[in-house]
Amino acid sequence: MRFGRREFLALAGGFASSAALPKLSLAENPPGRPLHGLSAFGDLGYEAGFSHFRYASPDAPKGGTFNFQPSYWFFNQNTQTFNTLNSFVRRGDAPPRMENCFDSLMVTAWDEPDAIYAHLAESVTISADGNRFTFRLRPEARWHDGSPITAADVAFSYRTLKKDGHPQLLLPLRVLEDAVAEDDRTAILIFDGTQSAQAILTIAATYPILSSEWYEPRDFLASTLEPPLASGPYRVGRFSAGSFTEYERVENYWAKDLGTVRGLDHFDTIRIEFYQERQAGFEAFKKGNITWREEFTSKSWVTEYDFPAIAEKKVVKRLFDDEARPSMQAMALNQRRERFRDRRVRDAISRCFDFEWTNRNLFYEAYQKSHSLFSGSPYETAGPPVALERALIERLGAAHELPEGIYDDAYQEAPSDGSGRDRTRRRTAIGLLNAAGWSNDNGTLRNASGDTLDLEILIRSSVFERVYNPWVTTMRSIGINASLRLVDPAQYQARTASFDFDMAGYALNWEATPVNSGLENAFGSGSADVEGSRNWPGTADPLVDAIIHEVGAAANREDHRTAMRVLDRVLRLRRDWIPSWTSANHRVAYWDMFGFKEPKPDYFWPVERLWWVDQEKATTLGKA
């Protein structure tokens, strides 16, 4: 079971730091000459003029429809409903995959941890000071109406997104001083000197380029169902708000023969249908109305995938390895509510959740307990700090207050006895709450002002009720006034974006090489009051800010890994987020009508861009 936004390439908040960060490694990304690719630490796996990415399939057939339920989404997108096609602002609920309609200056390689390659631009040139990036656009680049994409469009896009974009787009651009068009084919991004190497990669490779002419008479911030003029491999096709949306492959896509695209995007139509409840979507899959599904409910995976199409081998049920990226699945306790500001309160609430019992009785032992916000990666630390970590901690300690326990083994919550009624954990939780000023008054906890300790867990689907009801019961047994609140998907999106909740769950996969801008979005002081950011708890800690700065300042992978591990130690001790559980696999079921290349890419897995219809298999199933 996942909470939701499990994937994003790096579009997260970014903030200027007081001290300058090192630029991209100029030894491997030399200034003054056009480059076909960039990497944070100089590693590029593809040479100039490469024909296609290794994970692409140039010989695969085109055609058919891919009808699926997306397992990740970006910005203001929602998998349960939609009411706007404007995906790049905070307002409204947009359908997933709108980003596939737009091109970017460069694109990420899904089989490399942090390499990007020229796409809409044919090259990028770095200035000697590392603050100006000059992009030479490809002359063949076209909007879907056939008009040329110009540097004016690039400048408009970055300026507009810096001013009015969704926080995941807006915040990283704080380090961008200006975007200018030198001529029709030359766009320059000018940075203020505080940008990190990793932030440059995010800004160059994952930002949509918008048509300045199309948006000129329109309000960029408006919620609208007018399909935007775009330039990517797909365009918006048929749709019905809140019901379904289709994306049509652009047959004459200007970039279809570029190495960055060749061998991708095989389906003529990508169709997404929207269901407010999981069961309705599952029933549609069983009938074959949906043909690909990732299952996030472990109970269903074990007990419900026994329908006729499985027995008849028309549907394949399979585990795929998760990506080699750090993952985070955790509950956020909103410290904008004063009652959750004391770490001891947050710790006590965490101890009321019995993972061992839940995993055995509700999850069919499908998960492992997560203790880190960077699970399954080299950034998940263990034991006491090693020498490099200790040196960084000591240096930071000269200017910042260090948390108690920073030199001990990395914090992790002790397991329960698995009974669902672990008295030791309850006694510990009560002791923590008493120490924080909450005392029992006839079965209800109150503070010195007589206020009760209220906690509402916000959820967007009834599937979470069975998981969290035992947690609520345990909290209520020690005097916490706990409850669940199920809201519709649009309300959930609005309430979490405006931080109108006590506790809510969040899941995502970080970029393979986490960037300081993404970390600042989730943990930095500068994002604590920015609605729509990932900083759901409202973390505002100068020490955390300083460590994130060190991540961005890393001159090599070893320094980067050291800073990330120290960040992991501090975040575990703070308990702003309560890590929950993790899994090493994707649980996927699909109607046996597809072809795909194995192994899948290590760092990103957009199935709708990689798979294709196997005509022979589809004919056998009657889905040709």
Side-chain angles (χ1 to χ4, degrees):
M1 179 178 297
R2 297 266 191 179
F3 294 123
R5 302 165 191 240
R6 59 179 308 278
E7 164 64 55
F8 194 42
L9 287 179
L11 301 181
F15 313 96
S17 303
S18 58
L21 298 173
K23 314 304 182 290
L24 285 165
S25 169
L26 297 186
E28 299 295 337
N29 302 285
R33 64 183 179 89
L35 304 171
H36 77 290
L38 300 172
S39 171
F41 302 111
D43 310 324
L44 287 178
Y46 294 88
E47 296 183 353
F50 66 93
S51 64
H52 61 276
F53 290 121
R54 284 180 286 271
Y55 47 79
S57 304
D59 297 327
K62 304 289 187 183
T65 296
F66 188 59
N67 191 333
F68 78 129
Q69 293 185 281
S71 55
Y72 62 85
W73 57 98
F74 307 144
F75 319 123
N76 66 347
Q77 296 171 3
N78 196 324
T79 59
Q80 295 174 283
T81 188
F82 80 96
N83 49 43
T84 180
L85 294 175
N86 188 351
S87 187
F88 305 124
V89 296
R90 190 191 139 199
R91 180 187 302 174
D93 301 272
R97 302 305 181 267
M98 280 298 298
E99 66 281 357
N100 288 347
C101 298
F102 293 84
D103 286 308
S104 53
L105 290 172
M106 304 181 77
V107 297
T108 58
W110 304 334
D111 58 351
E112 297 183 77
D114 51 38
I116 64 174
Y117 294 91
H119 175 65
L120 181 56
E122 64 183 12
S123 67
V124 56
T125 302
I126 309 173
S127 64
D129 65 2
N131 291 332
R132 295 169 67 93
F133 288 70
T134 301
F135 296 88
R136 185 69 174 165
L137 303 188
R138 297 184 189 272
E140 67 270 31
R142 290 290 186 274
W143 298 105
H144 289 159
D145 66 359
S147 59
I149 301 173
T150 69
D153 295 316
V154 175
F156 165 79
S157 301
Y158 281 97
R159 288 175 176 175
T160 300
L161 294 170
K162 178 181 171 71
K163 178 177 179 289
D164 293 323
H166 188 279
Q168 292 175 0
L169 291 161
L170 178 155
L171 294 172
L173 294 180
R174 290 184 176 180
V175 297
L176 182 71
E177 281 193 345
D178 202 2
V180 298
E182 188 172 76
D183 56 46
D184 281 351
R185 289 184 54 204
T186 307
I188 304 174
L189 299 184
I190 304 169
F191 295 90
D192 64 10
T194 66
Q195 72 280 1
S196 70
Q198 303 101 307
I200 296 296
L201 304 183
T202 298
I203 291 168
T206 56
Y207 276 63
I209 300 305
L210 313 171
S211 168
S212 57
E213 183 175 339
W214 190 85
Y215 279 100
E216 183 177 5
R218 295 170 173 87
D219 178 6
F220 176 72
L221 288 169
S223 288
T224 176
L225 291 173
E226 180 183 12
L229 177 63
S231 65
Y234 286 89
R235 60 162 59 96
V236 175
R238 299 188 311 132
F239 65 88
S240 175
S243 179
F244 76 91
T245 185
E246 291 183 348
Y247 299 101
E248 300 171 347
R249 185 170 60 86
V250 178
E251 184 66 31
N252 61 343
Y253 176 39
W254 71 270
K256 63 182 179 180
D257 295 321
L258 290 181
T260 51
V261 172
R262 185 168 172 260
L264 303 175
D265 305 314
H266 308 291
F267 297 109
D268 280 347
T269 303
I270 295 173
R271 180 180 171 99
I272 300 170
E273 297 186 28
F274 295 81
Y275 301 94
Q276 293 207 6
E277 280 295 335
R278 174 213 168 266
Q279 195 61 37
F282 183 53
E283 293 301 322
F285 173 74
K286 288 164 63 176
K287 295 174 183 177
N289 296 333
I290 292 172
T291 52
W292 189 98
R293 173 184 176 85
E294 183 166 4
E295 183 57 68
F296 294 116
T297 304
S298 53
K299 177 179 182 292
S300 297
W301 183 251
V302 174
T303 65
E304 295 186 44
Y305 282 77
D306 57 357
F307 49 92
I310 291 277
E312 296 165 5
K313 300 189 183 303
K314 294 179 179 179
V315 169
V316 177
K317 179 184 176 186
R318 178 173 168 182
L319 297 178
F320 290 87
D321 289 342
D322 207 349
E323 286 67 71
R325 299 169 61 168
S327 65
M328 164 181 158
Q329 181 149 317
M331 301 297 290
L333 275 160
N334 188 357
Q335 293 170 51
R336 299 168 189 86
R337 312 297 208 232
E338 185 175 354
R339 58 189 178 276
F340 302 126
R341 290 177 188 166
D342 193 309
R343 178 198 181 278
R344 294 167 295 189
V345 172
R346 303 193 296 272
D347 200 5
I349 291 168
S350 176
R351 291 171 191 269
C352 291
F353 179 69
D354 191 329
F355 169 78
E356 286 71 26
W357 181 91
T358 303
N359 195 38
R360 186 177 68 249
N361 292 278
L362 302 181
F363 292 164
Y364 292 80
E365 299 189 343
Y367 296 104
Q368 299 80 47
K369 180 73 175 78
S370 176
H371 300 284
S372 170
L373 302 179
F374 310 108
S375 292
S377 76
Y379 312 117
E380 181 177 5
T381 192
V386 299
L388 288 174
E389 293 175 42
R390 180 176 286 270
L392 177 55
I393 291 169
E394 290 174 351
R395 178 157 59 82
L396 293 168
H400 302 279
E401 182 179 353
L402 298 174
E404 182 180 350
I406 189 65
Y407 290 108
D408 299 337
D409 288 352
Y411 177 80
Q412 62 180 50
E413 200 171 273
S416 75
D417 63 11
S419 68
R421 301 179 299 276
D422 190 324
R423 294 186 178 183
T424 300
R425 288 171 69 90
R426 293 192 192 195
R427 282 195 297 268
T428 301
I430 291 169
L432 288 165
L433 292 167
N434 291 161
W438 297 90
S439 57
N440 192 296
D441 178 17
N442 293 320
T444 300
L445 288 171
R446 297 184 184 274
N447 61 14
S449 300
D451 302 321
T452 56
L453 181 51
D454 300 334
L455 188 151
E456 179 184 88
I457 303 177
L458 189 69
I459 58 175
R460 58 181 172 82
S461 173
S462 59
V463 72
F464 293 108
E465 291 176 326
R466 61 188 290 271
V467 177
Y468 295 141
N469 268 325
W471 194 355
V472 167
T473 298
T474 300
M475 285 192 282
R476 293 185 71 87
S477 74
I478 65 171
I480 299 173
N481 185 27
S483 61
L484 285 176
R485 173 62 64 88
L486 173 64
V487 297
D488 66 66
Q491 188 177 0
Y492 184 88
Q493 179 115 311
R495 286 188 59 176
T496 53
S498 61
F499 310 130
D500 180 19
F501 64 90
D502 291 343
M503 185 162 75
Y506 199 102
L508 63 92
N509 282 355
W510 299 97
E511 54 277 6
T513 304
V515 303
N516 65 312
S517 58
L519 298 169
E520 285 168 332
N521 187 300
F523 312 123
S525 300
S527 65
D529 295 322
V530 178
E531 292 189 356
S533 78
R534 286 176 172 159
N535 193 344
W536 286 14
T539 304
D541 183 344
L543 174 61
V544 172
D545 296 337
I547 301 171
I548 293 173
H549 175 82
E550 294 291 332
V551 173
N556 52 61
R557 294 196 187 277
E558 185 175 55
D559 289 348
H560 180 270
R561 183 172 58 250
T562 296
M564 283 294 301
R565 288 178 172 174
V566 172
L567 179 62
D568 184 32
R569 289 181 182 278
V570 171
L571 291 175
R572 291 193 197 196
L573 290 169
R574 283 191 54 86
R575 311 295 279 156
D576 299 327
W577 296 85
I578 300 174
S580 51
W581 52 81
T582 186
S583 173
N585 304 109
H586 296 278
R587 293 186 294 255
V588 171
Y590 55 92
W591 285 77
D592 192 13
M593 56 181 288
F594 301 112
F596 52 89
K597 187 174 185 177
E598 297 194 82
K600 72 179 188 61
D602 287 337
Y603 300 108
F604 190 37
W605 193 44
V607 176
E608 71 279 6
R609 301 197 66 190
L610 291 165
W611 289 24
W612 60 88
V613 172
D614 183 311
Q615 193 64 35
E616 183 177 345
K617 290 182 176 180
T619 299
T620 299
L621 289 179
K623 292 183 175 292

